[in-house]
Amino acid sequence: MIDRDRLATLRSDEESRFVDLHPRSAALAAEARGPLLAGVPMPWMTRWAGSFPLTFDTATGARLTDVDGIEYVDLCLGDTGAMTGHALPQVADAIAERARTGITTMLPSTDATWAAEELARRFRVPSWQFAISATDANRFVLRFARHLTGRPMIAVFDWCYHGTVDETFAVLEDGQVIPRPGSMGPQVDPAETTAVLPFNDVEALDKRLAEGDVACLLMEPALTNIGIVLPEEGYLDAVREITRRHGVLLIIDETHTLCAGPGGCTAAWDLEPDFVVVGKAIGGGVPAAAYGMSRGVADALAEPMGRPEIDIAGVGGTLTANALSMAAVRATLSTCLRQEDFDVAIPLAQRFTEGVSGVIDEHDLPWHVQRLGCRAEYWFCPPPRDGAAAAAAVDEDLEAFLHLWALNRGILLTPFHNMALFSPYHSEADVDRHTEVFGAAIDALTA
Ligand SMILES: Cc1ncc(COP(=O)(O)O)c(C=O)c1O
């Protein structure tokens, strides 16, 4: 239904426009190609629409400015790392103060206890520790789960994403677990470590967990990394009942679903996880993550935590829970991501959803737009039930065109899929600008 020739022409026009608009970013990207592998400091930075990444100059609140002086409405917000909005003065003050008074000592600072209490209040599990990234937090929790249960396998959902955690780079193909397409150098065949299950399929979960070799189920309460796939009515209750019945620990990764409210989906939907993982946004942009656990799990971990060899247990790191991260978490959680912040951001995501679905309806496209709290995402198919159905609708050419079209008109979307995230710093005018730009792109595509 999308004319591919027209799409290719439009994309190439947008590419030329992108190059013309960004001479300074182009020059810096050319320079970077010498000393930086692939010309970027981190592999995914090649994923932005356009033949080179923009170099950013400043990012404050909901705005980002590039080195060519062009300002963007930032709907990416660092793929949720800046869900609070960028460059918050109170976080800047806290980290500046901490930077002047010592960052890395291998000793606790005064902020960690406050942060743990606040996370316990929000996510309703009592015992916490910290990590540098959500990837690390997930890795640590998987280790705890295998240790506690004495079982070797972990379970995840098909097309999940939980960071660069080896065990999670697995998908289903004809019912078999295979490495996720694109994953590099798997440590071992992930079929040896991982059970992969379709989301929203109660029977498949029950059947696999009944085999008795799975330590934990690591899940997002709604998939967010292959578009948003919401749980069906009663599904999460069934997941809890099944995991309990089979002695499988339930790890809820709220790193993205924190967008649902101050305590993520765990609080919003009354979930009862054994572990909670949360990362990215809790540091207001500074690397930080946390993992929490129920009293029962914490009690069971008390003995190994006291062992002299805890430093080689495979959990933690030298700079983990450094005082800078902890100061950032405290400054962030005491002033951001509170109910009053979501009360501003969520209606903006609702407005975005209405605007985009209006355009989709007007053009009679079989697409949909989904929302979870202050996060919204459109997808090129009707609402999928699981990750595989969502993955089947990925259209990289269409995505790249839409992202480039938006970027060339001052709107930054996340490089992966079609996510838009709202902070209290966005405005209704920002949302309406996106709707207008999106509508014009679809007009151009379907004219
Ligand atoms: C649900 C989820 N968990 C964990 C991570 C990993 O976060 P990080 O890349 O900061 O380690 C991500 C990253 O996108 C994520 O989406």
Side-chain angles (χ1 to χ4, degrees):
M1 156 245 348
I2 297 292
D3 178 336
R4 304 316 286 196
D5 292 337
R6 174 182 285 275
L7 174 60
T9 309
L10 285 169
R11 186 173 166 187
S12 141
D13 293 349
E14 290 306 313
E15 185 60 52
S16 310
R17 186 171 174 159
F18 173 81
V19 172
D20 291 346
L21 282 170
H22 302 104
R24 180 102 182 96
S25 274
L28 289 170
E31 206 181 303
R33 272 181 217 115
L36 289 172
L37 177 64
V40 280
M42 198 273 278
W44 311 340
M45 289 183 186
T46 60
R47 284 293 311 275
W48 287 93
S51 46
F52 48 85
L54 296 179
T55 297
F56 96 94
D57 184 20
T58 59
T60 52
R63 294 281 184 285
L64 184 145
T65 305
D66 70 21
V67 289
D68 288 290
I70 302 175
E71 187 183 86
Y72 303 86
V73 174
D74 188 1
L75 299 183
C76 168
L77 294 179
D79 193 29
T80 77
M83 197 192 295
T84 53
H86 294 286
L88 305 174
Q90 67 277 24
V91 177
D93 289 347
I95 61 181
E97 170 65 15
R98 198 64 251 182
R100 280 191 292 268
T101 51
I103 296 173
T104 289
T105 60
M106 287 274 286
L107 288 166
S109 60
T110 50
D111 295 322
T113 306
W114 184 94
E117 274 169 357
E118 175 62 8
L119 289 164
R121 188 186 69 75
R122 288 176 179 237
F123 291 95
R124 304 172 181 181
V125 290
S127 190
W128 290 81
Q129 280 183 338
F130 293 89
I132 293 285
S133 68
T135 296
D136 262 3
N138 279 326
R139 286 199 307 107
F140 300 161
V141 166
L142 294 186
R143 240 175 217 281
F144 287 143
R146 285 189 295 249
H147 173 81
L148 290 172
T149 59
R151 297 176 180 181
M153 303 288 284
I154 69 132
V156 293
F157 289 115
D158 202 17
W159 295 95
C160 69
Y161 186 77
H162 295 282
T164 50
V165 179
D166 285 322
E167 295 93 324
T168 61
F169 280 96
V171 292
L172 284 176
E173 187 181 68
D174 302 327
Q176 301 300 309
V177 175
I178 61 157
R180 184 170 178 153
S183 62
M184 274 173 99
Q187 195 179 27
V188 292
D189 177 355
E192 288 179 29
T193 58
T194 309
V196 180
L197 296 152
F199 194 66
N200 274 327
D201 185 336
V202 173
E203 212 178 302
L205 181 71
D206 198 1
K207 189 159 172 256
R208 181 62 189 84
L209 298 194
E211 291 180 33
D213 57 349
V214 172
C216 58
L217 171 65
L218 169 61
M219 68 178 288
E220 288 191 286
L223 302 183
T224 65
N225 281 298
I226 189 78
I228 297 172
V229 182
L230 295 175
E232 290 174 352
E233 188 70 33
Y235 179 63
L236 295 177
D237 290 339
V239 167
R240 184 61 278 196
E241 187 280 315
I242 292 165
T243 47
R244 275 211 179 105
R245 178 154 45 81
H246 295 300
V248 172
L249 294 166
L250 178 61
I251 307 167
I252 300 283
D253 181 349
E254 294 274 18
T255 300
H256 278 183
T257 49
L258 176 58
C259 63
C265 292
T266 298
W269 297 345
D270 229 354
L271 307 180
E272 293 177 14
D274 298 301
F275 287 100
V276 174
V277 166
V278 61
K280 299 201 192 185
I282 65 166
V286 173
Y291 49 93
M293 62 204 80
S294 67
R295 176 54 54 213
V297 171
D299 288 348
L301 285 172
E303 186 279 321
M305 283 290 138
R307 290 181 191 165
E309 63 272 26
I310 191 64
D311 56 321
I312 42 116
V315 173
T318 318
L319 275 71
T320 300
N322 68 78
L324 188 78
S325 298
M326 300 318 311
V329 172
R330 182 173 189 165
T332 305
L333 293 182
S334 56
T335 59
C336 307
L337 303 166
R338 302 157 304 175
Q339 192 56 53
E340 58 260 52
D341 301 308
F342 285 100
D343 288 345
V344 179
I346 290 176
L348 295 171
Q350 279 163 337
R351 190 179 179 93
F352 175 95
T353 308
E354 283 156 20
V356 169
S357 75
V359 173
I360 291 173
D361 290 349
E362 194 187 311
H363 291 84
D364 210 14
L365 292 165
W367 301 359
H368 80 285
V369 54
Q370 197 67 273
R371 183 182 65 80
L372 180 66
C374 64
R375 178 186 183 105
E377 182 139 1
Y378 53 86
W379 211 242
F380 313 123
C381 63
R385 184 171 184 241
D386 59 29
V394 170
D395 185 331
E396 280 179 11
D397 291 335
L398 188 52
E399 220 173 83
F401 160 68
L402 289 169
H403 288 212
L404 204 49
W405 176 283
L407 189 149
N408 284 340
R409 288 155 187 81
I411 291 173
L412 215 57
L413 292 163
T414 313
F416 325 108
H417 34 100
N418 308 297
M419 189 273 279
L421 189 66
F422 293 91
S423 72
Y425 296 94
H426 288 92
S427 66
E428 290 188 349
D430 294 338
V431 176
D432 296 345
R433 172 77 186 135
H434 172 273
T435 306
E436 188 192 319
V437 164
F438 178 71
I442 306 305
D443 283 345
L445 259 180
T446 56

